Amino acid sequence: MDAKTYPVTRTDAEWRAMLTPEQYQVMRHHGTERPGSCALLHEKRAGTFTCAGCDQPLFESKLKFESGTGWPSFNDPVEGSVENTVDRSYGMTRTEVHCANCGSHLGHVFPDGPPPTGLRYCINGVALNFEPSA
Ligand SMILES: [Zn+2]
């Protein structure tokens, strides 16, 4: 799937072993979880959302917002933590978002978010872990 080499690389067998079947499908095969299926959607505590594949911090809770889409949505990622590619699957042109550290698929970004960035990072909750701030 990925021609480029990421700082964190694992074989397909290693990914299968460390991720749940749902995480594996979403993160390694560009799947999408069912809207509203993830507990993190309602996570309102202060803290940091990290990549389920490599523990890199990706999003801060203060930039999370309720988009009404059924997926956790964020204004902006931690700087340098994610990369984008153009996704033309399903007859749509969307901007795919993946972890810059391990290459795992996270979700998509849309240009219809609230200020200040106007971006809406629509992320699969299974691709994230939440660490409440102390
Ligand atoms: Zn990662």
Side-chain angles (χ1 to χ4, degrees):
M1 165 178 105
D2 297 304
K4 104 169 238 193
T5 305
Y6 292 93
V8 171
T9 55
R10 303 184 210 282
T11 65
D12 192 59
E14 287 170 335
W15 283 117
R16 272 184 196 279
M18 75 171 285
L19 300 173
T20 68
E22 188 184 20
Q23 286 178 322
Y24 177 79
Q25 190 57 35
V26 168
M27 298 174 71
R28 306 312 303 174
H29 290 280
H30 287 204
T32 300
E33 69 187 3
R34 206 158 40 83
S37 64
C38 181
L40 285 179
L41 181 58
H42 304 293
E43 180 58 69
K44 298 235 185 321
R45 289 174 293 170
T48 304
F49 293 86
T50 59
C51 175
C54 70
D55 296 330
Q56 169 167 263
L58 298 177
F59 296 95
E60 303 285 346
S61 59
K62 63 179 187 296
L63 291 174
K64 183 175 184 290
F65 64 97
E66 183 49 65
S67 64
T69 59
W71 290 285
S73 298
F74 302 88
N75 231 198
D76 218 18
V78 173
E79 197 177 343
S81 68
V82 304
E83 294 176 342
N84 301 330
T85 58
V86 175
D87 174 3
R88 293 201 169 80
S89 59
Y90 305 105
M92 297 179 276
T93 299
R94 296 178 297 173
T95 304
E96 185 267 355
V97 179
H98 59 267
C99 174
N101 196 36
C102 71
S104 292
H105 173 67
L106 302 171
H108 292 88
V109 59
F110 300 94
D112 60 0
T117 64
L119 296 176
R120 173 170 62 90
Y121 281 81
C122 186
I123 302 300
N124 290 289
V126 294
L128 302 173
N129 287 319
F130 181 69
E131 292 175 8
S133 45

